[in-house]
Amino acid sequence: MKTTLSKGKLSRLLKLSNTNGYIAATAIDQRGSLSKSLSKALGKEASHEQVTEFKQLVSEELTPYSTAILLDPEFGWPAAEARDRNCGLLLAYEETGYDAMQMGRLPDLLPQSSALRYVEQGVDAVKILMYYDPDDLEEINDIKHAFIERVGAECDSVDIPFFFEAVTYSDKLPDAGSAEFARVKPNKVKKYMQEFSKPRYKIDVLKVEVPVNMKYVAGTAANTGYEQEAVYTREEALQHFRDTGAISPIPFIYLSAGVTNEVFLETLQFAGEAKVPFSGVLCGRATWQDGIDIYGKLGAKELRKWLQEEGKQRMVKLDSILQQVTTPWWQYYGNQNAMN
């Protein structure tokens, strides 16, 4: 069933995408994880200024090739201001990480942020990341469902798009990169896409994980060296893509989720082969993570040079694939002018 968009949400979604109707966004809203990675590369604790500078350099050099950039309010404002004038802005609204001492990886909001403040600051969309296991205890997931309902209602009240990202996990299988987790992942992704595409959450774009771990798909380049551990045949993996792709009545985009650039590009081509109607990507570490060591060991000047060469090349290659395999997000809303 086609849904409709308010005028404000429509205009902002158009700012986050290109004329072909897909989103090619650069994600660099990482905070704790990026600080740790930079500290390791630097051989000392990364300062607030260094994390901020890294984000700003990525923004300056990659946003000319991005339809949007995802940042955070703690380190990201200089990067937001430095972005290309044609590049839209998504801003994270959740606290980074979770309390490992508390059961259920419960989410929380940044205490000095709100959807209204983001609108006033010229942000084009609010983004929430939440860890979610659809097979967790009902009382845990009920808390998470209510949390997303509140954020969705808040975004709706000020007419700003709500991008929601669920990252699945299992406390019973703590290694999300294992073959064991790869076996249960497709079903978990299906379940959370079914849940969070419900109208009650007022989510405008779902940011989803691909339903398989590509390194366990037999016959793929990502599976090289893992042949003995292949969890899915090629056709089984394609079917998982098709099954999840048929679930959501609202637009969805894929996350790079920390894989290498080569693996992510192969993944998107795989999704294209499965004819999944996805509307773009939020690509983070796959594009810029190799620049962390360059920044740490050689400094800002060399990082900029790497971004201008290798970073640009990766963005251009990514876009060339997206042109061939994506579905315009507005098709989910009827047409480009769908609004109340």
Side-chain angles (χ1 to χ4, degrees):
M1 185 181 74
K2 303 288 186 185
T3 55
T4 56
L5 276 177
S6 66
K7 188 173 182 179
K9 287 190 175 189
L10 175 69
S11 64
R12 290 185 171 97
L13 280 173
L14 288 170
K15 288 170 67 177
L16 294 163
S17 54
N18 60 18
T19 54
N20 293 317
Y22 63 82
I23 296 165
T26 294
I28 187 161
D29 61 321
Q30 291 84 349
R31 288 154 274 175
S33 62
L34 179 57
S35 296
K36 287 177 186 174
S37 297
L38 284 172
S39 296
K40 183 178 179 181
L42 289 161
K44 61 180 181 180
E45 186 172 352
S47 66
H48 188 281
E49 290 73 23
Q50 287 170 316
V51 178
T52 299
E53 181 180 48
F54 185 89
K55 288 173 182 270
Q56 185 171 340
L57 287 165
V58 169
S59 179
E60 287 176 358
E61 299 303 333
L62 297 187
T63 56
Y65 315 102
S66 310
T67 68
I69 187 168
L70 169 61
L71 291 160
D72 60 280
E74 292 143 294
F75 298 97
W77 281 119
E81 292 166 4
R83 77 187 189 280
D84 185 87
R85 63 184 181 86
N86 294 316
C87 180
L89 176 62
L90 301 102
L91 211 64
Y93 187 18
E94 80 283 351
E95 288 271 18
T96 187
Y98 55 89
D99 184 351
M101 302 302 292
Q102 186 179 42
M103 185 177 176
R105 304 191 188 187
L106 296 178
D108 204 356
L109 298 177
L110 291 165
Q112 292 179 302
S113 295
S114 72
L116 174 61
R117 293 183 182 194
Y118 282 3
V119 169
E120 291 171 339
Q121 292 164 316
V123 177
D124 298 308
V126 171
K127 166 259 175 182
I128 288 284
L129 179 153
M130 185 176 74
Y131 293 92
Y132 185 76
D133 179 1
D135 304 309
D136 209 338
L137 295 172
E138 186 177 344
E139 53 264 39
I140 292 293
N141 284 342
D142 195 40
I143 293 170
K144 294 181 178 181
H145 295 163
F147 179 86
I148 299 304
E149 290 165 10
R150 286 194 293 271
V151 176
E154 183 185 354
C155 292
D156 208 48
S157 73
V158 293
D159 215 11
I160 190 171
F162 177 22
F163 281 57
F164 173 64
E165 172 183 349
V167 175
T168 193
Y169 70 96
S170 170
D171 286 331
K172 296 175 183 176
L173 299 168
D175 182 2
S178 67
E180 291 74 22
F181 189 79
R183 291 186 179 93
V184 302
K185 183 181 180 182
N187 203 39
K188 289 184 183 291
V189 173
K190 289 171 194 173
K191 286 180 179 179
Y192 79 58
M193 288 185 72
Q194 287 170 336
E195 179 63 40
F196 291 108
S197 59
K198 292 176 181 176
R200 66 184 298 116
Y201 298 108
K202 301 185 185 300
I203 293 165
D204 300 293
V205 177
L206 279 174
K207 297 170 54 187
V208 301
E209 302 161 288
V210 298
V212 301
N213 185 330
M214 290 295 289
K215 78 177 185 181
Y216 296 113
V217 180
T220 60
N223 182 240
T224 302
Y226 293 94
E227 289 86 350
Q228 73 283 4
E229 292 188 85
V231 169
Y232 335 89
T233 65
R234 185 178 184 85
E235 185 50 47
E236 285 170 343
L238 285 167
Q239 193 59 47
H240 287 313
F241 272 87
R242 294 184 194 111
D243 291 345
T244 51
I247 289 170
S248 179
I250 59 176
F252 64 96
I253 59 179
Y254 283 132
L255 312 174
S256 59
V259 300
T260 65
N261 183 63
E262 293 78 13
V263 169
F264 190 52
L265 295 182
E266 182 182 27
T267 303
L268 297 178
Q269 290 169 321
F270 202 81
E273 183 180 341
K275 300 191 184 312
V276 179
F278 72 105
S279 298
V281 297
L282 252 163
C283 184
R285 288 168 288 174
T287 302
W288 50 256
Q289 65 185 342
D290 294 336
I292 291 174
D293 275 347
I294 293 169
Y295 179 81
K297 295 177 171 59
L298 303 174
K301 185 177 178 181
E302 288 302 313
L303 172 62
R304 185 184 295 278
K305 182 181 176 185
W306 182 86
L307 289 166
Q308 289 172 342
E309 296 170 359
E310 178 63 24
K312 173 186 173 181
Q313 198 173 67
R314 291 181 180 187
M315 293 298 296
V316 170
K317 191 176 291 186
L318 171 66
D319 192 64
S320 70
I321 294 172
L322 293 176
Q323 287 180 35
Q324 300 171 49
V325 299
T326 50
T327 296
W329 60 262
W330 54 66
Q331 284 194 13
Y332 283 86
Y333 295 106
N335 58 65
Q336 196 171 348
N337 299 310
M339 62 181 73
N340 290 330

